[in-house]
Amino acid sequence: MSLFSNILGKKDNEDNLPEPNIRWPPLSNLKEYHKFAEWAAWYSGDPIQLSDVYSSLVNTGDVQGRIWSDEIEEEVKTMLHVPLAGDIAGVSADLLFGDPPDVKIPEAHEEGDSNNQDAIEAQERLEEIIRKADVYSREIKAAETATALGGCYLKVNWDANFKPFPLFSVAQSDNAIPEFHHGFLRRVLFHTTIESTGVRDNTGTVQEASGTYLRHLEYHEPGQIQHGLYEGTRNNLGDRIPLDEHWKTSNYEPVINTGIDDLLVRYVPNKRPNRLWRTSSLGQSDYQGIEGIMDALDATYTSWIRDLKLAKARLLVPRNMLEEEDGKLKFDVDKSVYVALETAPTEDKKITAQQFDIRSKQHYETAKELMSVAVDNAGYSPQTFGLNIEGRAESGTALRIRERKSVQTKNKKERYFENPLSEIFRLMLEVDNMKGFSEVTPFKPRLTFGPSFRPTLNELADSVDKISRAKAASYEVLVRTLHPDWTEEEVIAEVEKIKDQQGMNVPNPEQKPEL
């Protein structure tokens, strides 16, 4: 049964939060949450999290042969983790939001529009909100976590006692239970563990029935937000308790009517379709399908380090050459003379040096191939990660051809972010107006993402020279091409300087001078 089954049919202002003492997370969401936990462990780069996740799955048969599911007995095993998953998420975010997207309200840039002045004021206020609410850095966070967990949630919040403008926040997929309708987010329940006293056993694993968990639940539907606080265990939601029982929830009202007939949340999928759950509206993680490859990469580096440890030079010596000290046998490698032998040494009496091969070349080639396969299957060109570039000194055009796969992935992800971000900005203006932070009229802006690769100065100069000689563009267009980040005033001033230098700004002989 769906978690939202008890919500269907209820009217406004009714309590739509879950019933107490239910299984948590709900059984209907367990398969997604198991994968979220696995992907979150890879994203974290923490070997302890990886070991915890795979140790809990070892009995299912799904992770047989994984290095992080191996049980360690009687010996301390060196396990080396390569944080490739974090690199994939970081590169994805850099491609999307390395340059902040251009946010413009179309009506503010159209001449003769009756709403032009209102739109201009909305544009100025939106730019102020984006700057003060630190939206750009949160967009990078959204892109990284969406890459890892298959998607993320963008929320509009406000706190008049804290900041006089709407707030932009990012919620994680493993802290949300959504309901989609025709592929669109209809309502969502966010849950956050704000305090826990989970007890770990002697292996470091958290015991399911041990400890107390305080969870804050936040339910969103069009026009309304509800808050609840529950006290339970790791796998049980527990009883509902008053919000003022914990300082983190004491300022929340149980029910908040937003005054806006829209959901103040948008879901951004990383990419679709989801090959793992084809009927789901959830996005697909970049890690989906390459977990085994990343595990094999860790196994390769672990084996490499093991070779380094085994390759330490060791001396095999006869027992009679060892000296006893404090009940322990020792061999002094700095001693010049050990024993005066009356006869020539035999095979069993001589000192033998032992040293194993490191196999560095084999490990390096294996690791390099695994990395290339992993990033390629995640949707990126290996060259984006600095792989397979030995001996190459390429022009910008050749480099862009080799980076084609990364560019295509970036373009796909832009389309998933574009509309949700635009709608969130519109909702921020609505909240800004509704809560009395300003009196601007809300408009929906249009987003333009930055280029994947910026041309070099030589490439720009060559292009401008050819366009200029062909007389195919004005001075204004040429200046904008060379300086895309300049303001309107800077461009006009530069055009006038060029005309002055070219002798084009000459006075009109028929025009009488002003007296």
Side-chain angles (χ1 to χ4, degrees):
M1 182 179 292
S2 170
L3 177 67
F4 290 98
S5 60
N6 67 317
I7 299 174
L8 295 173
K10 289 190 175 183
K11 299 179 180 180
D12 292 343
N13 300 319
E14 289 193 12
D15 189 352
N16 291 319
L17 290 172
E19 298 294 333
N21 295 308
I22 65 171
R23 179 43 169 103
W24 200 261
L27 289 173
S28 58
N29 302 90
L30 274 184
K31 63 176 183 179
E32 290 93 346
Y33 271 73
H34 283 159
K35 293 303 293 185
F36 289 156
E38 183 180 5
W39 295 331
W42 283 111
Y43 175 62
S44 72
D46 182 10
I48 294 178
Q49 288 193 39
L50 284 166
S51 182
D52 283 349
V53 166
Y54 283 113
S55 295
S56 65
L57 297 176
V58 71
N59 294 326
T60 66
D62 296 332
V63 293
Q64 294 298 323
R66 298 280 175 87
I67 184 175
W68 293 107
S69 65
D70 291 346
E71 294 186 7
I72 305 170
E73 298 179 0
E74 298 180 359
E75 65 171 329
V76 178
K77 182 183 276 188
T78 301
M79 311 277 278
L80 187 64
H81 173 56
V82 182
L84 178 61
D87 288 344
I88 291 173
V91 166
S92 177
D94 289 343
L95 288 171
L96 273 172
F97 296 109
D99 290 321
D102 189 26
V103 182
K104 287 186 177 180
I105 295 175
E107 293 85 348
H109 299 84
E110 296 176 358
E111 296 183 1
D113 194 298
S114 59
N115 293 326
N116 187 255
Q117 187 56 42
D118 290 341
I120 291 175
E121 293 177 1
Q123 176 77 52
E124 293 173 351
R125 177 57 177 171
L126 180 58
E127 290 175 355
E128 181 184 8
I129 293 172
I130 289 174
R131 184 177 65 256
K132 290 183 176 180
D134 193 25
V135 169
Y136 291 142
S137 62
R138 295 165 195 253
E139 288 172 344
I140 295 173
K141 173 184 176 181
E144 272 213 24
T145 54
T147 297
L149 299 183
C152 66
Y153 298 83
L154 309 179
K155 296 169 54 185
V156 180
N157 303 96
W158 67 91
D159 187 345
N161 296 322
F162 179 57
K163 296 290 183 181
F165 51 80
L167 304 174
F168 177 98
S169 60
V170 180
Q172 308 299 310
S173 289
D174 54 354
N175 290 116
I177 298 176
E179 182 185 279
F180 293 94
H181 190 62
H182 297 296
F184 295 93
L185 185 65
R186 187 177 189 176
R187 50 194 167 192
V188 60
L189 178 70
F190 296 110
H191 56 92
T192 307
T193 301
I194 59 176
E195 189 176 304
S196 66
T197 57
V199 180
R200 290 181 177 267
D201 61 17
N202 56 6
T203 66
T205 304
V206 176
Q207 295 300 299
E208 292 189 359
S210 301
T212 301
Y213 284 72
L214 282 180
R215 293 183 177 91
H216 170 218
L217 269 60
E218 182 180 335
Y219 169 75
H220 283 253
E221 67 179 3
Q224 192 176 94
I225 302 172
Q226 295 183 14
H227 293 275
L229 184 63
Y230 292 77
E231 183 178 20
T233 61
R234 188 186 184 199
N235 291 331
N236 189 286
L237 185 59
D239 295 319
R240 189 169 175 181
I241 61 176
L243 289 168
D244 57 11
E245 289 288 319
H246 197 277
W247 66 270
K248 288 186 177 180
T249 56
S250 59
N251 292 329
Y252 290 123
E253 294 292 333
V255 179
I256 300 172
N257 292 311
T258 65
I260 299 172
D261 190 22
D262 199 346
L263 186 69
L264 299 184
V265 183
R266 291 296 183 270
Y267 177 71
V268 181
N270 179 52
K271 50 189 177 185
R272 286 172 174 164
N274 190 317
R275 297 171 185 169
L276 189 60
W277 310 305
R278 287 174 291 130
T279 59
S280 171
S281 295
L282 294 173
Q284 175 180 308
S285 167
D286 278 8
Y287 308 155
Q288 192 168 303
I290 65 169
E291 300 94 337
I293 299 174
M294 293 190 293
D295 188 82
L297 179 62
D298 287 352
T300 300
Y301 271 92
T302 297
S303 174
W304 196 344
I305 295 301
R306 183 172 180 269
D307 267 19
L308 287 172
K309 291 186 174 183
L310 291 176
K312 292 179 180 179
R314 289 174 172 83
L315 296 178
L316 306 179
V317 301
R319 188 177 184 85
N320 61 353
M321 291 187 181
L322 301 177
E323 298 176 355
E324 187 172 347
E325 182 178 326
D326 297 330
K328 296 181 180 180
L329 294 176
K330 290 182 57 181
F331 178 71
D332 188 353
V333 295
D334 295 321
K335 193 171 182 179
S336 301
V337 180
Y338 299 98
V339 179
L341 299 177
E342 297 179 357
T343 59
T346 60
E347 288 294 326
D348 60 341
K349 292 182 179 180
K350 71 178 182 179
I351 299 175
T352 305
Q354 179 68 54
Q355 188 168 15
F356 298 100
D357 292 334
I358 297 179
R359 301 178 299 166
S360 58
K361 183 178 180 180
Q362 293 91 326
H363 282 106
Y364 172 77
E365 294 296 334
T366 303
K368 180 180 173 183
E369 178 64 19
L370 288 171
M371 285 185 183
S372 296
V373 172
V375 300
D376 182 69
N377 280 273
Y380 305 92
S381 302
Q383 291 75 25
T384 306
F385 291 78
L387 301 170
N388 303 333
I389 59 173
E390 293 83 355
R392 294 181 180 273
E394 298 173 320
S395 66
T397 303
L399 183 60
R400 283 191 285 275
I401 292 173
R402 291 175 62 81
E403 297 274 3
R404 179 177 175 81
K405 190 166 189 176
S406 296
V407 173
Q408 288 177 327
T409 297
K410 171 188 182 295
N411 293 339
K412 290 177 184 177
K413 293 189 177 187
E414 282 178 0
R415 288 191 285 272
Y416 289 122
F417 262 99
E418 183 177 2
N419 191 58
L421 259 181
S422 295
E423 292 191 347
I424 284 294
F425 288 144
R426 173 184 60 80
L427 290 170
M428 292 180 81
L429 288 175
E430 288 200 30
V431 169
D432 194 55
N433 181 291
M434 182 66 65
K435 301 307 173 184
F437 297 133
S438 77
E439 297 181 357
V440 299
T441 303
F443 288 86
K444 182 178 179 178
R446 180 183 299 153
L447 268 66
T448 304
F449 287 82
S452 305
F453 299 96
R454 291 192 178 277
T456 64
L457 185 59
N458 287 337
E459 291 176 319
L460 277 175
D462 184 56
S463 299
V464 168
D465 179 59
K466 291 178 180 177
I467 294 172
S468 178
R469 283 191 280 113
K471 302 185 184 304
S474 65
Y475 284 121
E476 182 178 346
V477 171
L478 296 178
V479 172
R480 290 187 188 280
T481 302
L482 273 174
H483 305 286
D485 55 335
W486 279 14
T487 63
E488 185 77 18
E489 293 77 12
E490 289 173 322
V491 170
I492 293 174
E494 185 68 15
V495 169
E496 291 301 314
K497 287 180 182 178
I498 293 173
K499 288 182 177 180
D500 287 338
Q501 292 175 356
Q502 298 285 344
M504 301 174 66
N505 282 337
V506 295
N508 187 348
E510 297 182 358
Q511 182 178 0
K512 295 181 179 181
E514 295 182 3
L515 298 177

